[in-house]
Amino acid sequence: MSETIRQLISEEDVDKKIREIGEQISRDYEGRQVHLICVLKGGVFFTCELAKRINVPVSLDFMSVSSYGDDTSSSGVVRIVKDLDESIEGKDVLIVEDIIDSGRTLSYLIEVLKQRNPNSLRLCTLLDKPERRVKDVNVDYVCFNIPDEFVVGYGLDYAQKYRNLPYIGVVEL
Ligand code: 5GP
Ligand code: MG
């Protein structure tokens, strides 16, 4: 079975936007250290590029959660597959996510992390599909709002493929 990928957002546009969001985060966190929590695996490419564009001190940790029964539809069941290595107590935490769809994963994650007493907790996402929202989530930084289409690239996969594409594309079966 083979699929084709139609480009939705070019590499140049993604890079430019990440630069802008990085500058905004740098201004907002001036004088503080920002603790980035990368949501694996999809958030990895975005987290690395974003971290390079932030010019206040940055620390990093990784978490893996699973909310999907299969590749394209949400089951509503969220579980922590890999927890953080370090405590977030007293830290200025910024969750870095690839995409927010129904919002189920993030609303669960935010509740879990709030209970660990960070000094602040914010959310940054590369992509947002607002029309798909089932659970309300307050998103502080969004690079791109996109229509309700299944996208890949920049960390996002289709059956574990295409994460390495340097642009965002739509899967056409
Ligand atoms: P939510 O809990 O917000 O419905 O789901 C978020 C997760 O679903 C994302 O982190 C991502 O793993 C997956 N997801 C949602 N939409 C897409 C999409 O268009 N493409 C890919 N590859 N994954 C998606
Ligand atoms: Mg994700």
PDB file of all heavy atoms in Angstrom, residues 39-43 65 67 96-100 105-106 156 163, ligand 2:
ATOM      1  N   VAL A  39       6.901  16.166  24.191  1.00  0.00           N
ATOM      2  CA  VAL A  39       6.006  15.017  24.171  1.00  0.00           C
ATOM      3  C   VAL A  39       6.427  14.110  23.003  1.00  0.00           C
ATOM      4  O   VAL A  39       6.342  14.488  21.835  1.00  0.00           O
ATOM      5  CB  VAL A  39       4.528  15.453  24.049  1.00  0.00           C
ATOM      6  CG1 VAL A  39       3.607  14.240  24.153  1.00  0.00           C
ATOM      7  CG2 VAL A  39       4.170  16.472  25.133  1.00  0.00           C
ATOM      8  N   LEU A  40       6.927  12.942  23.363  1.00  0.00           N
ATOM      9  CA  LEU A  40       7.450  11.976  22.381  1.00  0.00           C
ATOM     10  C   LEU A  40       6.313  11.282  21.638  1.00  0.00           C
ATOM     11  O   LEU A  40       5.233  11.155  22.184  1.00  0.00           O
ATOM     12  CB  LEU A  40       8.280  10.911  23.104  1.00  0.00           C
ATOM     13  CG  LEU A  40       9.554  11.430  23.790  1.00  0.00           C
ATOM     14  CD1 LEU A  40      10.159  10.331  24.666  1.00  0.00           C
ATOM     15  CD2 LEU A  40      10.555  11.914  22.765  1.00  0.00           C
ATOM     16  N   LYS A  41       6.566  10.736  20.420  1.00  0.00           N
ATOM     17  CA  LYS A  41       7.766  10.994  19.659  1.00  0.00           C
ATOM     18  C   LYS A  41       7.599  12.230  18.794  1.00  0.00           C
ATOM     19  O   LYS A  41       8.572  12.859  18.369  1.00  0.00           O
ATOM     20  CB  LYS A  41       8.049   9.797  18.711  1.00  0.00           C
ATOM     21  CG  LYS A  41       8.256   8.488  19.383  1.00  0.00           C
ATOM     22  CD  LYS A  41       8.397   7.392  18.305  1.00  0.00           C
ATOM     23  CE  LYS A  41       8.370   6.018  18.958  1.00  0.00           C
ATOM     24  NZ  LYS A  41       8.275   4.948  17.954  1.00  0.00           N
ATOM     25  N   GLY A  42       6.334  12.565  18.514  1.00  0.00           N
ATOM     26  CA  GLY A  42       6.034  13.614  17.535  1.00  0.00           C
ATOM     27  C   GLY A  42       6.645  14.972  17.835  1.00  0.00           C
ATOM     28  O   GLY A  42       6.943  15.734  16.932  1.00  0.00           O
ATOM     29  N   GLY A  43       6.840  15.282  19.130  1.00  0.00           N
ATOM     30  CA  GLY A  43       7.315  16.613  19.490  1.00  0.00           C
ATOM     31  C   GLY A  43       8.807  16.816  19.350  1.00  0.00           C
ATOM     32  O   GLY A  43       9.319  17.920  19.533  1.00  0.00           O
ATOM     33  N   VAL A  65       3.193   9.809  26.074  1.00  0.00           N
ATOM     34  CA  VAL A  65       1.834   9.425  26.439  1.00  0.00           C
ATOM     35  C   VAL A  65       1.160   8.826  25.222  1.00  0.00           C
ATOM     36  O   VAL A  65       1.526   9.124  24.089  1.00  0.00           O
ATOM     37  CB  VAL A  65       0.998  10.623  26.948  1.00  0.00           C
ATOM     38  CG1 VAL A  65       1.540  11.134  28.264  1.00  0.00           C
ATOM     39  CG2 VAL A  65       0.931  11.729  25.930  1.00  0.00           C
ATOM     40  N   SER A  67      -2.589   8.083  23.432  1.00  0.00           N
ATOM     41  CA  SER A  67      -4.027   8.337  23.507  1.00  0.00           C
ATOM     42  C   SER A  67      -4.761   7.694  22.341  1.00  0.00           C
ATOM     43  O   SER A  67      -5.953   7.844  22.197  1.00  0.00           O
ATOM     44  CB  SER A  67      -4.300   9.840  23.483  1.00  0.00           C
ATOM     45  OG  SER A  67      -3.974  10.358  22.222  1.00  0.00           O
ATOM     46  N   VAL A  96       5.846  21.008  25.024  1.00  0.00           N
ATOM     47  CA  VAL A  96       6.006  21.189  23.577  1.00  0.00           C
ATOM     48  C   VAL A  96       5.419  19.970  22.863  1.00  0.00           C
ATOM     49  O   VAL A  96       5.901  18.851  23.004  1.00  0.00           O
ATOM     50  CB  VAL A  96       7.488  21.369  23.189  1.00  0.00           C
ATOM     51  CG1 VAL A  96       7.600  21.668  21.705  1.00  0.00           C
ATOM     52  CG2 VAL A  96       8.124  22.480  24.006  1.00  0.00           C
ATOM     53  N   GLU A  97       4.377  20.238  22.093  1.00  0.00           N
ATOM     54  CA  GLU A  97       3.602  19.169  21.464  1.00  0.00           C
ATOM     55  C   GLU A  97       3.611  19.347  19.952  1.00  0.00           C
ATOM     56  O   GLU A  97       3.773  20.461  19.445  1.00  0.00           O
ATOM     57  CB  GLU A  97       2.181  19.236  22.058  1.00  0.00           C
ATOM     58  CG  GLU A  97       1.164  18.274  21.531  1.00  0.00           C
ATOM     59  CD  GLU A  97       1.483  16.802  21.718  1.00  0.00           C
ATOM     60  OE1 GLU A  97       2.525  16.357  21.196  1.00  0.00           O
ATOM     61  OE2 GLU A  97       0.689  16.085  22.334  1.00  0.00           O
ATOM     62  N   ASP A  98       3.448  18.259  19.238  1.00  0.00           N
ATOM     63  CA  ASP A  98       3.413  18.339  17.780  1.00  0.00           C
ATOM     64  C   ASP A  98       2.081  18.883  17.269  1.00  0.00           C
ATOM     65  O   ASP A  98       2.042  19.783  16.436  1.00  0.00           O
ATOM     66  CB  ASP A  98       3.724  16.979  17.134  1.00  0.00           C
ATOM     67  CG  ASP A  98       2.866  15.843  17.689  1.00  0.00           C
ATOM     68  OD1 ASP A  98       2.027  16.075  18.589  1.00  0.00           O
ATOM     69  OD2 ASP A  98       3.043  14.697  17.229  1.00  0.00           O
ATOM     70  N   ILE A  99       0.989  18.309  17.797  1.00  0.00           N
ATOM     71  CA  ILE A  99      -0.318  18.697  17.265  1.00  0.00           C
ATOM     72  C   ILE A  99      -1.389  18.506  18.338  1.00  0.00           C
ATOM     73  O   ILE A  99      -1.300  17.574  19.143  1.00  0.00           O
ATOM     74  CB  ILE A  99      -0.650  17.868  15.995  1.00  0.00           C
ATOM     75  CG1 ILE A  99      -1.917  18.360  15.297  1.00  0.00           C
ATOM     76  CG2 ILE A  99      -0.762  16.383  16.303  1.00  0.00           C
ATOM     77  CD1 ILE A  99      -2.072  17.838  13.859  1.00  0.00           C
ATOM     78  N   ILE A 100      -2.346  19.407  18.345  1.00  0.00           N
ATOM     79  CA  ILE A 100      -3.493  19.245  19.237  1.00  0.00           C
ATOM     80  C   ILE A 100      -4.722  19.029  18.373  1.00  0.00           C
ATOM     81  O   ILE A 100      -5.022  19.825  17.485  1.00  0.00           O
ATOM     82  CB  ILE A 100      -3.668  20.452  20.182  1.00  0.00           C
ATOM     83  CG1 ILE A 100      -2.367  20.620  20.972  1.00  0.00           C
ATOM     84  CG2 ILE A 100      -4.834  20.216  21.138  1.00  0.00           C
ATOM     85  CD1 ILE A 100      -2.356  21.818  21.855  1.00  0.00           C
ATOM     86  N   THR A 105      -5.363  14.288  24.938  1.00  0.00           N
ATOM     87  CA  THR A 105      -4.028  13.986  25.449  1.00  0.00           C
ATOM     88  C   THR A 105      -3.531  15.129  26.327  1.00  0.00           C
ATOM     89  O   THR A 105      -3.086  14.913  27.457  1.00  0.00           O
ATOM     90  CB  THR A 105      -3.041  13.806  24.276  1.00  0.00           C
ATOM     91  OG1 THR A 105      -3.622  12.898  23.337  1.00  0.00           O
ATOM     92  CG2 THR A 105      -1.703  13.267  24.753  1.00  0.00           C
ATOM     93  N   LEU A 106      -3.640  16.346  25.805  1.00  0.00           N
ATOM     94  CA  LEU A 106      -3.101  17.503  26.519  1.00  0.00           C
ATOM     95  C   LEU A 106      -3.886  17.855  27.752  1.00  0.00           C
ATOM     96  O   LEU A 106      -3.292  18.218  28.773  1.00  0.00           O
ATOM     97  CB  LEU A 106      -2.997  18.699  25.582  1.00  0.00           C
ATOM     98  CG  LEU A 106      -1.615  18.900  24.984  1.00  0.00           C
ATOM     99  CD1 LEU A 106      -0.595  19.160  26.081  1.00  0.00           C
ATOM    100  CD2 LEU A 106      -1.155  17.663  24.208  1.00  0.00           C
ATOM    101  N   LEU A 156       5.676  14.273  12.887  1.00  0.00           N
ATOM    102  CA  LEU A 156       4.399  13.554  12.816  1.00  0.00           C
ATOM    103  C   LEU A 156       4.491  12.381  11.843  1.00  0.00           C
ATOM    104  O   LEU A 156       5.053  12.511  10.757  1.00  0.00           O
ATOM    105  CB  LEU A 156       3.297  14.508  12.364  1.00  0.00           C
ATOM    106  CG  LEU A 156       2.925  15.552  13.405  1.00  0.00           C
ATOM    107  CD1 LEU A 156       2.618  16.884  12.748  1.00  0.00           C
ATOM    108  CD2 LEU A 156       1.746  15.072  14.227  1.00  0.00           C
ATOM    109  N   ARG A 163       8.186  10.969   9.690  1.00  0.00           N
ATOM    110  CA  ARG A 163       8.529  11.903  10.773  1.00  0.00           C
ATOM    111  C   ARG A 163       9.657  12.837  10.336  1.00  0.00           C
ATOM    112  O   ARG A 163       9.754  13.971  10.786  1.00  0.00           O
ATOM    113  CB  ARG A 163       8.993  11.139  12.022  1.00  0.00           C
ATOM    114  CG  ARG A 163       7.896  10.366  12.726  1.00  0.00           C
ATOM    115  CD  ARG A 163       8.394   9.907  14.094  1.00  0.00           C
ATOM    116  NE  ARG A 163       7.561   8.853  14.671  1.00  0.00           N
ATOM    117  CZ  ARG A 163       6.435   9.066  15.354  1.00  0.00           C
ATOM    118  NH1 ARG A 163       5.993  10.285  15.542  1.00  0.00           N
ATOM    119  NH2 ARG A 163       5.742   8.054  15.848  1.00  0.00           N
TER     120      ARG A 163
HETATM  121 MG    MG B   2       1.764  14.010  20.170  1.00  0.00          MG
END
